[in-house]
Each structure stands twice: as structure tokens, then as C-alpha cells.
Amino acid sequence: MVTVTKLHPLFMAEIGGVDLTIPIPAADFAEIEAAFHEHAVLLFRGEPISEARQVAFSQHFGPLIPTTNYHRVGEKNRLRAELADVSNIDHEGRLLAADNNRRLHSQANQLWHTDASFKHVSARCSLLSAHEVPPSGGETEFADMRAAYYTLPEDRKREIEGLVAEHSIYRSREQMGFAGYNEAARAELPPVQQVLTRTHPGSGRKTLYLAAHASHIIGWPVEKGRHLIAELMDHATQPQFTYRHEWRVGDMVLWDNRCTMHRARPYDDLIYRRDMRRSTVSDEINTVEALGGAYANAV
Ligand code: OGA
Ligand code: MN
């Protein structure tokens, strides 16, 4: 029997009674999906999941986004192509060196974000599995953006209605002081437009759609847009909207990128191993195109 235990007053639940190491019966998946729509972030605890099972389970939620290679030039994949390597380990099992490109790139995960908002069609949900965890640090925090939207003052809601933001991976990396991109990487990921508010399809509730990748508001002076985005980010990540997950080996967390943000917390990554593997499910359509042109400021 599938059990759902709430871990936070606003969102986040632990799912019990499911064995992710074997195919999930359709009736159980329907219950998991209903919990996903309502709680947005789901925790599964058990034995570490195999790469094949993680991919198979993730595909219940939609097609997977293949991992991009722009941040690991010259590095061999440790994991199969459908899985993003969020570890600090190379393909020979060694810790990444301090100047490793993937290590530097992944430090931007410590900024509040939602996955792949810098892609034209972004990510619907992500699934992150824990295979090795450090003795301290390395938690992941989540923020409920539906609650954040709901608690905005009414005049703020009116002001941001219909606004479109430009998102770019270089905006989040810039904030980390990381500029190690070659021309090919830049051409692969040009800036994209995303709505600032959207209706979360699973729950029918309105939500903010924000990330460290959000650069500015289309049609506004850049600084004014940055100011608004910073203010909304501050609002959305107040402690009452967030949950901190402390990982155990065998955990898998599924989150809805359309109505939550998340960030990694630091740990001593030059000393301790953290083996985390992410599958990323694609959304259906760009958020601006989904509105069919009914937005206030996009060009
Ligand atoms: C991710 C991510 C956070 C973490 O994989 O998308 O942001 O704690 N990970 O590793
Ligand atoms: Mn992420």
C-alpha cells in the first residue's frame, strides 16, 4: 500500500510502501502521481536505485532530457547518458580536483534555482538519487513557489501578472564568478524567455517561476528587472516556504520544477565523496508559447 506522509506544512511528503527496484504497478503509480501534484516534492527511501531503474521510473513522468556535455569537456561519462552526474567523482572513482570544470560548474547548484529554465522547453521534474553522502553538509533545500506566490501582496501580484523574464545559464554562472564556457557551449544555450508566473498544472494553483538563471524582465530596463527578480527570490526563499533534506544513502527525491526551487548546500567536497545522480524529465512546451502570446511585455 502506498503511504503519503507530509514532511512540511506546505509541501513535501515521504512516500512509503513502494519498491523502486522493481517495476511500479499502475495503481501505485497513480497514487504517486497524485501525491506529486499536491505535494510537489516527494521523498522515497530504500536501497540505492540502479541506473536502469532510475531511468525507467523517471520515464513514467515523461521523456528525459539527455545530459549536456558543455561543462565536462574532455571528461568521460561515469553514468549512462540519461543521468546527470551530480557527484564529485570522476569515471575512475576519484574525487574531482579543485580546478575541475564540472566541479566549478556544479557550484552554481548552491544558488536557488529550478532545473533547465535556461532551456527553451525546460524541465517538468527531476529525480535525484543518493548513492554516497558526506558525513555532514551536502543537504538539498526546496522552496514552495505556490505558497510564495499566494503570500505576495495583491499589488505585487497585479504588477507581475503577464511578465516574461529572460533566463540564461550564464546569468547563474556569472553570479558564481564562473566564466569557463567555450563558444560551442554558448551557442548551444542561447538566452530564452519564460513567464514569471504560471498556473501549476498538477494542482491548478498559481506559482512563481523563478531561478538564479532569471536575468531580467523583457521590455524593462535591466536593473529594474534584476531588482524585481531579487526581491521575489528573497520573498520565495524565506524559511517558512523551505524544507531542508538531509540525505541518506538510498534516498531518491522527485521534485516539480514548475512550482518549486531548490539548492544544494555546501560540503567538504575535496575530502568527502557525494555520489548523486539526476534524471530530468522534459516539460511539454516553452512557458511563454504555452500562453499563445497572451503576455504583457515579451517582444
Ligand atoms: C540538481 C541539483 C542539488 C544537490 O541536481 O539539479 O540542483 O543538492 N542538485 O545536489
Ligand atoms: Mn538543480
Side-chain angles (χ1 to χ4, degrees):
M1 199 188 73
V2 177
T3 61
V4 181
T5 310
K6 284 198 71 157
L7 299 176
H8 184 278
L10 296 170
F11 70 138
M12 187 81 210
E14 179 172 344
I15 302 295
V18 174
D19 182 359
L20 292 181
T21 65
I22 55 174
I24 309 294
D28 287 2
F29 183 72
E31 290 188 47
I32 293 170
E33 198 173 33
F36 171 65
H37 290 157
E38 184 178 345
H39 304 293
V41 186
L42 301 182
L43 165 64
F44 302 84
R45 299 204 121 134
E47 294 302 310
I49 193 168
S50 69
E51 293 186 40
R53 284 301 318 153
Q54 179 163 350
V55 168
F57 180 65
S58 303
Q59 283 169 336
H60 281 290
F61 294 93
L64 301 190
I65 305 180
T67 51
T68 35
N69 281 316
Y70 50 83
H71 58 279
R72 39 181 158 156
V73 185
E75 195 187 316
K76 279 198 190 135
N77 285 359
R78 192 174 66 96
L79 308 174
R80 50 188 279 178
E82 296 95 331
L83 297 177
D85 193 348
V86 190
S87 77
N88 61 337
I89 303 165
D90 72 12
H91 71 283
E92 287 175 327
R94 293 174 305 216
L95 289 182
L96 299 180
D99 64 350
N100 177 278
N101 212 42
R102 174 156 64 85
R103 172 177 185 267
L104 296 173
H105 177 94
S106 69
Q107 284 174 355
N109 279 346
Q110 292 178 24
L111 301 174
W112 283 107
H113 68 282
T114 184
D115 291 334
S117 71
F118 52 81
K119 291 192 174 168
H120 181 65
V121 176
S122 53
R124 173 184 302 162
C125 59
S126 301
L127 300 95
L128 188 63
S129 62
H131 298 256
E132 287 184 81
V133 299
S136 65
E139 305 90 350
T140 307
E141 291 181 345
F142 296 92
D144 181 1
M145 307 294 281
R146 300 171 302 187
Y149 178 84
Y150 187 74
T151 53
L152 282 174
E154 288 307 317
D155 58 343
R156 200 39 124 206
K157 286 184 188 162
R158 270 194 302 277
E159 186 194 15
I160 66 176
E161 184 63 31
L163 293 183
V164 172
E166 181 175 296
H167 289 233
S168 162
I169 193 165
Y170 308 111
R171 176 68 190 141
S172 49
R173 271 45 182 182
E174 196 177 282
Q175 293 178 50
M176 298 297 293
F178 179 65
Y181 289 99
N182 58 26
E183 284 306 310
R186 288 185 177 274
E188 200 180 330
L189 291 169
V192 300
Q193 297 189 355
Q194 306 289 2
V195 295
L196 196 58
T197 66
R198 62 196 296 197
T199 300
H200 174 238
S203 61
R205 292 168 59 193
K206 278 203 88 156
T207 180
L208 288 170
Y209 188 55
L210 281 173
H213 315 303
S215 169
H216 55 274
I217 303 295
I218 303 287
W220 283 23
V222 171
E223 289 315 317
K224 185 179 172 205
R226 292 220 159 135
H227 189 77
L228 173 66
I229 289 167
E231 185 197 297
L232 293 173
M233 293 286 284
D234 283 351
H235 169 76
T237 55
Q238 293 175 80
Q240 66 269 31
F241 304 134
T242 69
Y243 178 86
R244 167 179 289 214
H245 180 60
E246 292 176 13
W247 293 95
R248 285 191 221 151
V249 170
D251 287 355
M252 186 154 83
V253 174
L254 158 68
W255 64 83
D256 194 327
N257 283 303
R258 300 167 300 186
C259 64
T260 63
M261 286 198 294
H262 60 278
R263 67 168 176 179
R265 302 306 293 147
Y267 68 105
D268 216 335
D269 72 310
L270 296 174
I271 297 178
Y272 298 115
R273 296 165 69 88
R274 183 175 189 260
D275 182 354
M276 310 289 288
R277 307 168 184 188
R278 194 190 72 226
S279 35
T280 320
V281 177
S282 180
D283 210 345
E284 271 151 37
I285 184 172
N286 170 269
T287 57
V288 179
E289 288 174 0
L291 295 184
Y295 39 88
N297 63 324
V299 285

